[in-house]
Amino acid sequence: QAVNMPVIFAKVSGVELGKTEPYWQKIKALTGEHVRLFKSFPLCSAGNPYQSLAVKALCNGKLKREDIKAHRQYPFGLLREELQEHIFDKLQLMLDHKLIKGTFVNGTEYTIVATILNLEKGLVRMLQSFDFTKKNPKVIVISTSEQSCTLEDAILITFLNLIGFDVVLFVPTGYQTIERYLNDNYPVEHQIGDYLYDLQIPDFSTLPQPKSRSWLDHILKRGN
């Protein structure tokens, strides 16, 4: 059974005609309210206080929702009840479909649970304000170097996309990022131009708005 992901999940590889200024301008066009911008990997900080809870959170591959909610460490108790259940639903979906390599093979399922419980405050607030009828919140990730994407990064990005975030990875190097950790549901890759390395990310607030969006319009066009 396929996992339905009715949101944008894209990877943009290369730089159109090797021209960096319009490239950065077009990325700037995506930034703004309800957008979380990551300028490099890794996205997740080292150390996770929820590892022990994650080990207790599963029984026969299923989340023990009420036990998790009752635990003193449970981080989502202030959220609307339906949002808490939505988080659990998508987390269970990730596990059931084994979207991440190693799920129910080498203990990766516990890392998945711990990573989602450890969502950063800013992302949790974006979820809280997202009412599932307005514009999707967005995550933009820029990766300009050989800095490695981690398993936790792949878990985070996959989960956010499942729960309703538009996700766009801008990778001027064309290198693999989250793909090597995924069993399924790869981002749709758009090869737009030359591979460039070690680009310096500018201060987007100083860049002019792009005159046209071209490939960006194509990538962000939603099917109806």
Side-chain angles (χ1 to χ4, degrees):
Q1 182 182 356
V3 178
N4 183 29
M5 301 175 74
V7 289
I8 295 165
F9 195 29
K11 175 185 176 184
V12 182
S13 295
V15 176
E16 189 175 20
L17 302 176
K19 296 181 178 180
T20 58
E21 185 173 349
Y23 176 78
W24 295 124
Q25 288 175 348
K26 288 167 183 174
I27 294 176
K28 176 185 175 171
L30 292 180
T31 62
E33 192 178 9
H34 307 303
V35 178
R36 176 66 169 91
L37 174 64
F38 293 97
K39 294 185 177 181
S40 66
F41 287 110
L43 315 183
C44 299
S45 56
N48 188 313
Y50 296 101
Q51 289 287 357
S52 59
L53 173 55
V55 172
K56 303 172 187 175
L58 290 169
C59 181
N60 297 322
K62 300 300 179 184
L63 291 165
K64 297 158 64 177
R65 299 189 185 201
E66 296 309 312
D67 288 358
I68 298 170
K69 288 181 179 181
H71 196 278
R72 60 180 177 79
Q73 276 190 298
Y74 179 59
F76 302 136
L78 295 177
L79 300 178
R80 302 187 310 275
E81 190 67 31
E82 63 268 25
L83 180 54
Q84 295 181 52
E85 288 302 312
H86 188 55
I87 291 171
F88 283 125
D89 288 346
K90 297 307 181 183
L91 179 50
Q92 187 66 61
L93 187 68
M94 281 187 71
L95 297 171
D96 290 345
H97 289 273
K98 300 179 182 178
L99 298 184
I100 305 297
K101 289 180 180 178
T103 303
F104 302 125
V105 174
N106 59 12
T108 297
E109 61 273 17
Y110 301 117
T111 303
I112 293 171
V113 174
T115 299
I116 303 314
L117 290 174
N118 198 36
L119 279 181
E120 67 170 56
K121 186 184 296 182
L123 291 171
V124 173
R125 288 178 175 177
M126 289 175 75
L127 271 176
Q128 172 70 359
S129 62
F130 176 34
D131 65 5
F132 305 101
T133 60
K134 297 180 182 177
K135 277 190 173 182
N136 298 59
K138 290 180 173 57
V139 168
I140 297 171
V141 182
I142 304 172
S143 178
T144 63
S145 70
E146 286 82 5
Q147 192 73 27
S148 294
C149 168
T150 66
L151 170 63
E152 290 81 1
D153 295 340
I155 292 167
L156 174 65
I157 291 172
T158 300
F159 172 79
L160 291 175
N161 192 239
L162 279 176
I163 207 165
F165 280 68
D166 289 334
V167 175
V168 184
L169 303 156
F170 287 97
V171 189
T173 62
Y175 289 149
Q176 285 198 76
T177 58
I178 65 173
E179 299 96 321
R180 54 199 178 121
Y181 298 106
L182 303 183
N183 278 324
D184 201 356
N185 291 312
Y186 293 91
V188 177
E189 186 168 12
H190 303 266
Q191 297 278 353
I192 65 165
D194 303 331
Y195 293 154
L196 299 181
Y197 303 92
D198 300 316
L199 293 183
Q200 296 298 309
I201 300 173
D203 177 356
F204 287 111
S205 66
T206 65
L207 294 180
Q209 290 292 346
K211 295 176 182 177
S212 64
R213 298 176 72 177
S214 59
W215 51 265
L216 197 55
D217 282 327
H218 172 69
I219 291 164
L220 299 181
K221 185 178 181 181
R222 295 176 186 275
N224 294 317

Short mmCIF file of all heavy atoms in Angstrom, two decimals, residues 196-223:
data_model
loop_
_atom_site.label_atom_id
_atom_site.label_comp_id
_atom_site.label_asym_id
_atom_site.label_seq_id
_atom_site.Cartn_x
_atom_site.Cartn_y
_atom_site.Cartn_z
N LEU A 196 27.67 22.91 -8.19
CA LEU A 196 28.63 23.86 -7.62
C LEU A 196 28.89 23.49 -6.17
O LEU A 196 28.00 22.97 -5.48
CB LEU A 196 28.08 25.29 -7.71
CG LEU A 196 27.80 25.84 -9.13
CD1 LEU A 196 27.28 27.27 -9.05
CD2 LEU A 196 29.06 25.77 -10.00
N TYR A 197 30.09 23.79 -5.71
CA TYR A 197 30.53 23.32 -4.40
C TYR A 197 30.95 24.47 -3.50
O TYR A 197 31.46 25.50 -3.97
CB TYR A 197 31.69 22.32 -4.57
CG TYR A 197 31.31 21.16 -5.45
CD1 TYR A 197 31.55 21.20 -6.83
CD2 TYR A 197 30.65 20.04 -4.94
CE1 TYR A 197 31.18 20.16 -7.65
CE2 TYR A 197 30.27 18.99 -5.76
CZ TYR A 197 30.53 19.05 -7.11
OH TYR A 197 30.14 18.02 -7.93
N ASP A 198 30.74 24.26 -2.19
CA ASP A 198 31.19 25.20 -1.15
C ASP A 198 30.65 26.61 -1.37
O ASP A 198 31.34 27.61 -1.09
CB ASP A 198 32.72 25.22 -1.07
CG ASP A 198 33.30 23.85 -0.74
OD1 ASP A 198 32.74 23.19 0.17
OD2 ASP A 198 34.28 23.44 -1.37
N LEU A 199 29.43 26.72 -1.86
CA LEU A 199 28.82 28.05 -2.02
C LEU A 199 28.57 28.67 -0.65
O LEU A 199 28.21 27.99 0.31
CB LEU A 199 27.49 27.94 -2.77
CG LEU A 199 27.55 27.51 -4.24
CD1 LEU A 199 26.15 27.52 -4.83
CD2 LEU A 199 28.47 28.42 -5.03
N GLN A 200 28.76 29.96 -0.58
CA GLN A 200 28.47 30.70 0.65
C GLN A 200 27.02 31.19 0.58
O GLN A 200 26.61 31.86 -0.36
CB GLN A 200 29.42 31.89 0.80
CG GLN A 200 30.87 31.50 0.97
CD GLN A 200 31.11 30.67 2.23
OE1 GLN A 200 30.70 31.06 3.32
NE2 GLN A 200 31.76 29.52 2.07
N ILE A 201 26.24 30.84 1.59
CA ILE A 201 24.84 31.24 1.61
C ILE A 201 24.76 32.72 1.99
O ILE A 201 25.30 33.12 3.02
CB ILE A 201 24.04 30.39 2.61
CG1 ILE A 201 24.12 28.91 2.21
CG2 ILE A 201 22.58 30.84 2.68
CD1 ILE A 201 23.52 27.96 3.22
N PRO A 202 24.09 33.52 1.20
CA PRO A 202 24.05 34.96 1.48
C PRO A 202 23.05 35.31 2.57
O PRO A 202 22.26 34.47 3.02
CB PRO A 202 23.61 35.54 0.13
CG PRO A 202 22.73 34.48 -0.45
CD PRO A 202 23.36 33.17 -0.04
N ASP A 203 23.08 36.55 2.98
CA ASP A 203 22.04 37.10 3.86
C ASP A 203 20.83 37.38 2.98
O ASP A 203 20.83 38.30 2.17
CB ASP A 203 22.56 38.38 4.51
CG ASP A 203 21.51 39.05 5.39
OD1 ASP A 203 20.36 38.57 5.44
OD2 ASP A 203 21.84 40.07 6.03
N PHE A 204 19.79 36.56 3.13
CA PHE A 204 18.65 36.67 2.22
C PHE A 204 17.93 38.01 2.34
O PHE A 204 17.29 38.46 1.38
CB PHE A 204 17.67 35.52 2.46
CG PHE A 204 18.16 34.20 1.95
CD1 PHE A 204 18.51 33.18 2.83
CD2 PHE A 204 18.29 33.96 0.59
CE1 PHE A 204 18.98 31.96 2.36
CE2 PHE A 204 18.76 32.75 0.11
CZ PHE A 204 19.10 31.74 1.00
N SER A 205 18.04 38.64 3.49
CA SER A 205 17.34 39.92 3.67
C SER A 205 17.91 41.02 2.78
O SER A 205 17.24 42.03 2.52
CB SER A 205 17.42 40.36 5.14
OG SER A 205 18.76 40.67 5.50
N THR A 206 19.13 40.84 2.27
CA THR A 206 19.76 41.87 1.43
C THR A 206 19.54 41.61 -0.06
O THR A 206 19.92 42.45 -0.89
CB THR A 206 21.27 41.93 1.70
OG1 THR A 206 21.87 40.70 1.27
CG2 THR A 206 21.55 42.14 3.18
N LEU A 207 18.95 40.48 -0.41
CA LEU A 207 18.79 40.13 -1.82
C LEU A 207 17.51 40.73 -2.39
O LEU A 207 16.48 40.77 -1.72
CB LEU A 207 18.73 38.61 -1.98
CG LEU A 207 19.99 37.81 -1.64
CD1 LEU A 207 19.74 36.33 -1.87
CD2 LEU A 207 21.17 38.28 -2.46
N PRO A 208 17.56 41.18 -3.65
CA PRO A 208 16.33 41.65 -4.30
C PRO A 208 15.42 40.47 -4.61
O PRO A 208 15.87 39.32 -4.72
CB PRO A 208 16.84 42.30 -5.59
CG PRO A 208 18.14 41.63 -5.86
CD PRO A 208 18.75 41.31 -4.51
N GLN A 209 14.12 40.74 -4.75
CA GLN A 209 13.19 39.70 -5.14
C GLN A 209 13.48 39.27 -6.59
O GLN A 209 13.88 40.10 -7.42
CB GLN A 209 11.75 40.21 -5.04
CG GLN A 209 11.25 40.42 -3.61
CD GLN A 209 11.10 39.11 -2.84
OE1 GLN A 209 11.12 38.04 -3.42
NE2 GLN A 209 10.99 39.23 -1.53
N PRO A 210 13.30 38.00 -6.90
CA PRO A 210 13.57 37.55 -8.27
C PRO A 210 12.58 38.13 -9.27
O PRO A 210 11.42 38.38 -8.93
CB PRO A 210 13.42 36.02 -8.16
CG PRO A 210 12.50 35.82 -7.00
CD PRO A 210 12.82 36.92 -6.04
N LYS A 211 13.05 38.33 -10.49
CA LYS A 211 12.18 38.86 -11.54
C LYS A 211 11.25 37.76 -12.08
O LYS A 211 10.14 38.03 -12.52
CB LYS A 211 13.02 39.44 -12.67
CG LYS A 211 13.84 40.65 -12.25
CD LYS A 211 14.75 41.14 -13.37
CE LYS A 211 15.61 42.31 -12.91
NZ LYS A 211 16.55 42.76 -13.97
N SER A 212 11.73 36.52 -12.05
CA SER A 212 10.91 35.41 -12.49
C SER A 212 11.25 34.19 -11.64
O SER A 212 12.30 34.14 -11.02
CB SER A 212 11.15 35.09 -13.96
OG SER A 212 12.49 34.66 -14.14
N ARG A 213 10.35 33.20 -11.66
CA ARG A 213 10.56 32.04 -10.81
C ARG A 213 10.83 30.77 -11.62
O ARG A 213 11.38 29.83 -11.10
CB ARG A 213 9.37 31.86 -9.87
CG ARG A 213 9.19 33.07 -8.95
CD ARG A 213 7.95 32.96 -8.09
NE ARG A 213 8.12 31.95 -7.06
CZ ARG A 213 7.19 31.69 -6.14
NH1 ARG A 213 6.05 32.34 -6.17
NH2 ARG A 213 7.40 30.77 -5.22
N SER A 214 10.45 30.71 -12.85
CA SER A 214 10.74 29.61 -13.80
C SER A 214 10.72 28.22 -13.14
O SER A 214 9.66 27.73 -12.81
CB SER A 214 12.08 29.88 -14.50
OG SER A 214 13.14 29.99 -13.58
N TRP A 215 11.90 27.59 -12.94
CA TRP A 215 11.95 26.25 -12.40
C TRP A 215 11.30 26.15 -11.03
O TRP A 215 10.76 25.12 -10.66
CB TRP A 215 13.39 25.73 -12.36
CG TRP A 215 14.39 26.64 -11.70
CD1 TRP A 215 15.21 27.54 -12.31
CD2 TRP A 215 14.69 26.73 -10.29
NE1 TRP A 215 15.99 28.19 -11.38
CE2 TRP A 215 15.71 27.71 -10.14
CE3 TRP A 215 14.21 26.08 -9.16
CZ2 TRP A 215 16.24 28.06 -8.90
CZ3 TRP A 215 14.73 26.42 -7.91
CH2 TRP A 215 15.74 27.40 -7.80
N LEU A 216 11.32 27.25 -10.28
CA LEU A 216 10.71 27.23 -8.96
C LEU A 216 9.20 27.07 -9.07
O LEU A 216 8.58 26.33 -8.30
CB LEU A 216 11.05 28.54 -8.24
CG LEU A 216 10.86 28.56 -6.72
CD1 LEU A 216 11.63 27.45 -6.06
CD2 LEU A 216 11.28 29.91 -6.17
N ASP A 217 8.59 27.75 -10.03
CA ASP A 217 7.15 27.58 -10.25
C ASP A 217 6.81 26.14 -10.58
O ASP A 217 5.82 25.59 -10.11
CB ASP A 217 6.69 28.50 -11.39
CG ASP A 217 6.53 29.94 -10.96
OD1 ASP A 217 6.17 30.16 -9.80
OD2 ASP A 217 6.77 30.84 -11.77
N HIS A 218 7.64 25.52 -11.40
CA HIS A 218 7.40 24.14 -11.80
C HIS A 218 7.47 23.21 -10.59
O HIS A 218 6.63 22.32 -10.41
CB HIS A 218 8.43 23.72 -12.85
CG HIS A 218 8.39 22.26 -13.19
ND1 HIS A 218 7.34 21.68 -13.85
CD2 HIS A 218 9.27 21.26 -12.91
CE1 HIS A 218 7.57 20.38 -13.99
NE2 HIS A 218 8.73 20.10 -13.43
N ILE A 219 8.46 23.41 -9.75
CA ILE A 219 8.66 22.55 -8.60
C ILE A 219 7.52 22.70 -7.59
O ILE A 219 7.05 21.73 -7.00
CB ILE A 219 10.01 22.88 -7.92
CG1 ILE A 219 11.15 22.44 -8.84
CG2 ILE A 219 10.13 22.23 -6.55
CD1 ILE A 219 12.49 23.04 -8.48
N LEU A 220 7.04 23.93 -7.42
CA LEU A 220 6.05 24.19 -6.39
C LEU A 220 4.62 24.06 -6.88
O LEU A 220 3.68 24.26 -6.12
CB LEU A 220 6.26 25.60 -5.81
CG LEU A 220 7.62 25.81 -5.15
CD1 LEU A 220 7.73 27.20 -4.60
CD2 LEU A 220 7.86 24.80 -4.06
N LYS A 221 4.46 23.74 -8.15
CA LYS A 221 3.09 23.59 -8.69
C LYS A 221 2.45 22.34 -8.12
O LYS A 221 3.01 21.25 -8.19
CB LYS A 221 3.14 23.50 -10.22
CG LYS A 221 1.76 23.47 -10.85
CD LYS A 221 1.86 23.44 -12.37
CE LYS A 221 0.50 23.43 -13.02
NZ LYS A 221 0.57 23.37 -14.50
N ARG A 222 1.28 22.49 -7.55
CA ARG A 222 0.58 21.37 -6.94
C ARG A 222 -0.38 20.75 -7.93
O ARG A 222 -1.06 21.45 -8.67
CB ARG A 222 -0.23 21.83 -5.72
CG ARG A 222 0.61 22.33 -4.58
CD ARG A 222 -0.28 22.85 -3.47
NE ARG A 222 0.50 23.47 -2.42
CZ ARG A 222 1.04 22.80 -1.41
NH1 ARG A 222 0.86 21.51 -1.32
NH2 ARG A 222 1.73 23.43 -0.49
N GLY A 223 -0.44 19.46 -7.93
CA GLY A 223 -1.45 18.76 -8.74
C GLY A 223 -2.80 18.80 -8.06
O GLY A 223 -2.88 18.73 -6.83
#
